[in-house]
Amino acid sequence: HHRWVLSIGNFNRPVRTDCGAEYVAPMFSPGSQSVISFATYLSDVWAGSYKGKIYHSSDNGWTWEVAHNGTAFSTDVYALAAYESTLYAGTYGNGVQRSADRGKTWKLMDNGMDHSGIESLMLTSPDNNHLLAGANGAIYYTADGGLQWSKVNSTCGDCFAFAGNTINSSHYAATSTGFYHSVSTNNWI
């Protein structure tokens, strides 16, 4: 039994480690592309990059294919979130994009958002409908897969990353103005 840790960065450097004991060569090298976001679901791994590029692996990162080449949106993919075949992409300039077919086709899901620079995403329940989106100046929440978003915090500055627990609804946000905590998606302290 192996526990793998994926280190995100330029794929010209070692990116995979076996509990810190062994570094191995890159699993794929998309030329000069850097990975700036990633998401996993079971054996599926997606890696987001600049100019709308998203790569997909269905075998834990051993082989890769282009899931999105920048045709539906061409801005940087700063955040990814995945559950089963549904994939969300937080882009810089094209809001939240949603794919229901592992990244083959995309639809803009930004109703209720007044920020298009999405820097972080996190699924908040064990399905693909409840999601937090961190923008440059706000945190948004949806309970319907992105059909309608509500602004739940507008004082956080840039929201760089989320962490949380889907069992007890405890969520955390790392922002340019500090660290925020929520036990309900509408109340951040």
Side-chain angles (χ1 to χ4, degrees):
H1 183 271
H2 292 280
R3 179 176 168 211
W4 296 99
V5 176
L6 179 64
S7 175
I8 298 304
N10 188 312
F11 270 91
N12 293 324
R13 295 178 182 83
V15 297
R16 190 170 172 175
T17 175
D18 182 5
C19 296
E22 177 184 352
Y23 289 91
V24 296
M27 288 186 245
F28 81 101
S29 183
S32 63
Q33 295 292 315
S34 292
V35 172
I36 56 177
S37 60
F38 78 101
T40 64
Y41 181 79
L42 300 177
S43 62
D44 286 301
V45 183
W46 290 269
S49 190
Y50 298 106
K51 298 180 182 176
K53 302 277 197 246
I54 300 174
Y55 301 90
H56 175 245
S57 170
S58 59
D59 58 5
N60 291 309
W62 292 109
T63 60
W64 293 87
E65 64 185 5
V66 175
H68 183 259
N69 63 6
T71 54
F73 53 92
S74 60
T75 55
D76 301 344
V77 181
Y78 280 162
L80 290 169
Y83 182 80
E84 294 180 345
S85 62
T86 302
L87 183 64
Y88 294 91
T91 68
Y92 194 79
N94 284 110
V96 176
Q97 302 281 332
R98 179 182 171 161
S99 171
D101 55 11
R102 289 187 160 81
K104 293 178 181 66
T105 60
W106 294 88
K107 181 178 181 182
L108 178 63
M109 307 298 278
D110 69 346
N111 193 23
M113 290 184 156
D114 54 3
H115 293 81
S116 63
I118 305 302
E119 299 171 333
S120 56
L121 292 171
M122 185 180 84
L123 291 165
T124 62
S125 68
D127 65 26
N128 63 358
N129 291 316
H130 300 263
L131 193 73
L132 287 168
N136 47 356
I139 297 174
Y140 294 92
Y141 174 73
T142 182
D144 58 13
L147 295 175
Q148 181 65 44
W149 293 89
S150 299
K151 189 184 294 185
V152 294
N153 184 304
S154 60
T155 62
C156 63
D158 291 348
C159 184
F160 302 121
F162 288 113
N165 186 323
T166 60
I167 296 170
N168 67 11
S169 300
S170 190
H171 311 298
Y172 304 91
T175 76
S176 61
T177 60
F179 184 74
Y180 288 80
H181 175 248
S182 173
V183 291
S184 73
T185 54
N186 293 317
N187 186 19
W188 291 83
I189 54 174

